[in-house]
Every structure is written in C-alpha cells, then in structure tokens.
C-alpha cells in the first residue's frame, strides 16, 4: 500500500495549513454542521488525487466526550476525552478507499470507529496510532467502494483543535485534504468558559488566514 506516514511530512503540512487556512467546505453529512460540535469546529473538506480517480469529502466535527456520548453513545467507540475528534470519509471517485490517515502533532489517545452513520457505511478493520504520530484507519480487505462512506472515525485528545491535514489512500495513490481539525499545542484550560473561548480563537484564527 502506498501511504505517506512520515511524522515530519504531515506535521510540516499541518503547520503550512495553519498559516494558509483551510479549503472550502463541501457537501453536508451528519458530522458536517453538527449542532453539538465543540466551539463550532465542524465542516467538510474535499480530497482529490492527481488522477482524480480518488476523490470525495471528509466530514468532521469535534465534540466534548459528554456530547459525543449523547449523540453516538453505544455505537462502538468509547472516548477517553475530554475532546473527541471525529471524521467520516465519503468516496465519490472511481477508486476504492483502503485507508485514512490524520496527521497528529500533539497528544491523542483512544482511537476507534463508531456507526454506521448511514446505510452501507464501511467499518475500519484496524485502527492505530502509527510510529510517525498519525491516526490510521485501515479498511482493507473490504475497502470503501464508490458511492459509499466510512463509519465515523474518532480519537480523543486533551488538547484544543487547530487546522490540520489528512491523507486518503486506495493502495495505489493518495489524496490530501486540507482543513480537518487536529490537536494543537494548547491543553484544555478551566473553567469551561475558557475552554470554549480558547478553542474558538485557535480554530478561527487558522481558518481566517487565507491568502
């Protein structure tokens, strides 16, 4: 499988994304625009390979552990919290999707999947934090065929979100998505009012820096 999981590459890519801002949002899904998303960190970003055979969107939302459980409790993933980073891969291209990789610069834990969120969603067969510091969900041997989506993909972190990057692969090529949330350098402070303010400022500052 062709997968770029170098910690240095994805970390550098995430830093560049922080400076440039995120890509435009795309189609709506259950995570995209979720009303319970932590500090409004929710949306959708496109991915497209050079051949365009591998393309689609990644919907995302960040939740507190309590809000995640209120919406998706009992669907497989048990969050360690205090924040839960969630994603769903939608395959609109001619190629299948065999794995999803989210670049992580800082602390993350308790990786897993939850769902199905829609009929026909494909669950991952393995989830792990690789040696390069990335969150990886494998879908082989079944993979995600054209027109279908993944289960919800999730991990927990004690740190506030910044704008980062993800990589979708199909075994022969890969596509990058700019603008997914990833844990930043700032730990969640107390009280809860500071949590909301801090997350909003970190997230919005990165998204507003557009060339």
């Amino acid at each position: 499988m062709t997968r770029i999981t170098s910690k240095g590459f994805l970390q550098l890519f995430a830093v560049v994304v922080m400076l440039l801002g995120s890509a435009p949002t795309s189609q709506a899904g259950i995570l995209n625009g979720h009303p319970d998303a932590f500090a409004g960190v929710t949306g959708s970003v496109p991915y497209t390979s050079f051949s365009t055979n591998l393309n689609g969107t990644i919907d995302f939302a960040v939740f507190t552990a309590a809000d995640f459980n209120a919406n998706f409790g009992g669907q497989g993933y048990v969050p360690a919290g205090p924040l839960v980073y969630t994603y769903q891969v939608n395959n609109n291209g001619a190629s299948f999707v065999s794995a999803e990789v989210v670049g992580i610069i800082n602390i993350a834990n308790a990786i897993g999947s939850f769902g199905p969120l829609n009929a026909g969603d494909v669950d991952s067969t393995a989830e792990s934090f690789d040696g390069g510091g990335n969150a990886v969900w494998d879908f082989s041997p079944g993979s995600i065929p054209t027109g279908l989506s993944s289960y919800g993909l999730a991990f927990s972190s004690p740190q506030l979100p910044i704008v980062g990057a993800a990589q979708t692969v199909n075994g022969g090529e890969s596509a990058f998505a700019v603008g997914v949330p990833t844990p930043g350098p700032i730990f969640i402070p107390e009280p809860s009012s500071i949590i909301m303010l801090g997350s909003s400022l970190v997230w919005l500052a990165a998204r507003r820096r557009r060339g």
Side-chain angles (χ1 to χ4, degrees):
M1 181 189 305
T2 302
R3 182 188 302 159
I4 303 172
T5 56
S6 166
K7 180 177 181 180
F9 178 81
L10 280 177
Q11 286 186 352
L12 176 60
F13 196 39
V15 170
V16 172
V17 170
M18 286 173 60
L19 297 176
L20 296 181
S22 65
T25 58
S26 185
Q27 68 188 40
I30 190 171
L31 297 180
N32 180 12
H34 200 289
D36 294 335
F38 173 81
V41 182
T42 178
S44 182
V45 293
Y47 64 86
T48 304
S49 64
F50 288 113
S51 71
T52 72
N53 289 325
L54 183 63
N55 70 81
T57 58
I58 300 174
D59 296 341
F60 61 84
V62 177
F63 299 94
T64 63
D67 283 338
F68 177 86
N69 283 327
N71 285 279
F72 306 107
Q75 289 189 285
Y77 172 75
V78 179
L83 293 182
V84 182
Y85 290 72
T86 67
Y87 315 86
Q88 184 178 33
V89 182
N90 307 297
N91 183 11
N92 301 331
S95 298
F96 61 87
V97 172
S98 61
E100 185 65 29
V101 182
V102 174
I104 300 175
I105 299 174
N106 297 290
I107 298 171
N109 52 58
I111 191 171
S113 64
F114 61 97
L117 304 181
N118 309 287
D121 284 352
V122 179
D123 196 3
S124 56
T125 54
E127 311 92 14
S128 65
F129 296 113
D130 70 9
N134 307 303
V136 181
W137 293 268
D138 281 308
F139 301 99
S140 55
S143 300
I144 305 172
T146 301
L148 293 183
S149 302
S150 70
Y151 268 47
L153 313 176
F155 61 80
S156 296
S157 175
Q159 295 178 269
L160 298 173
I162 59 172
V163 180
Q167 181 185 22
T168 304
V169 298
N170 74 348
E173 61 182 332
S174 62
F176 289 98
V178 176
V180 299
T182 189
I186 302 175
F187 281 86
I188 295 177
E190 296 292 345
S192 59
S193 59
I194 299 178
I195 295 176
M196 300 300 289
L197 175 61
S199 182
S200 297
L201 291 177
V202 171
W203 180 255
L204 291 176
R207 289 179 66 88
R208 287 175 178 171
R209 291 176 183 171
R210 301 185 180 183

